[in-house]
Amino acid sequence: MKNRCGWTKDDPLMIAYHDEEWGVPVHDDQKHFEFLVLDAFQAGLSWKTVLYKREAFRKAFAGFDVKKVAKMTDAQLEKLLLDQSIIRNRLKIFGTVKNAKAFLDIQKEFGSFDKYIWSFVGDKTIVNNRKNISEVPATSKESDAMSKALKKRGFTFVGSTICYAYMQAAGLVNDHLEGCFRYKQVL
């Protein structure tokens, strides 16, 4: 049996996400957008809730194609409010389109969202040395700076806690516990 971060519990989908994705450095803009969308919907909810709705979100938001999402109409978004397979929060649904437009602006300015977002961590993963889940913070100075910068660029649902969760997911920070088998694998 592999030693994992305790938040996975014994849930097969959480274990697969932990073992295959969480903390792996992302350098693909579409994957960045996917994680930003999912983490925004996580606000106030558990990651497990969002993870179990991930495929429904993928369908609702055009496979997380940022260009297509940026062009979604109010009528399309109103229809999503009736979709029981996703989290039906008006502000988050409409905010996804707002974030897609801001994401595209960053791509245009910097060449890629990846180039922009990795600058908040000096272009390399911050490796933490934590032994217990209670040592993992909800925010950091980097997530504070990222949140402030993204909000200034027109993003919504990008508070520091959401940004830190995104940083963990996208591998900008390695918060696998030292005793976790993935800790050294994602370096």
Side-chain angles (χ1 to χ4, degrees), residues 86-105:
I86 66 168
I87 296 162
R88 296 176 293 164
N89 178 301
R90 175 178 289 280
L91 293 175
K92 291 177 182 180
I93 289 171
F94 279 79
T96 300
V97 173
K98 183 178 180 183
N99 288 353
K101 291 174 182 177
F103 191 100
L104 290 173
D105 289 343

Side-chain angles (χ1 to χ4, degrees), residues 1-129:
M1 192 162 114
K2 295 178 179 176
N3 194 18
R4 292 181 174 83
C5 299
W7 56 262
T8 62
K9 308 261 188 259
D10 60 354
D11 184 277
L13 191 57
M14 293 283 279
I15 290 170
Y17 172 72
H18 171 274
D19 290 2
E20 298 164 19
E21 291 183 84
W22 193 70
V24 176
V26 170
H27 293 288
D28 175 78
D29 275 8
Q30 185 169 350
K31 189 58 120 176
H32 279 297
F33 183 66
E34 176 179 350
F35 281 150
L36 283 170
V37 170
L38 296 175
D39 280 311
F41 274 92
Q42 181 190 353
L45 302 169
S46 73
W47 177 246
K48 183 177 177 178
T49 298
V50 174
L51 192 59
Y52 271 84
K53 293 181 178 286
R54 184 183 201 175
E55 292 312 311
F57 279 118
R58 186 179 314 284
K59 183 178 175 188
F61 291 112
F64 300 111
D65 182 320
V66 68
K67 289 179 182 174
K68 289 180 181 176
V69 173
K71 293 178 182 176
M72 289 179 78
T73 65
D74 285 355
Q76 289 174 303
L77 301 178
E78 290 291 342
K79 189 174 179 184
L80 288 181
L81 288 170
L82 303 174
D83 185 348
Q84 294 182 15
S85 68
I86 66 168
I87 296 162
R88 296 176 293 164
N89 178 301
R90 175 178 289 280
L91 293 175
K92 291 177 182 180
I93 289 171
F94 279 79
T96 300
V97 173
K98 183 178 180 183
N99 288 353
K101 291 174 182 177
F103 191 100
L104 290 173
D105 289 343
I106 288 174
Q107 283 182 321
K108 187 175 179 181
E109 183 177 342
F110 291 88
S112 72
F113 185 82
D114 183 70
K115 184 176 180 182
Y116 171 76
I117 209 67
W118 277 89
S119 70
F120 289 94
V121 293
D123 298 315
K124 65 179 188 172
T125 300
I126 296 170
V127 180
N128 291 313
N129 306 97

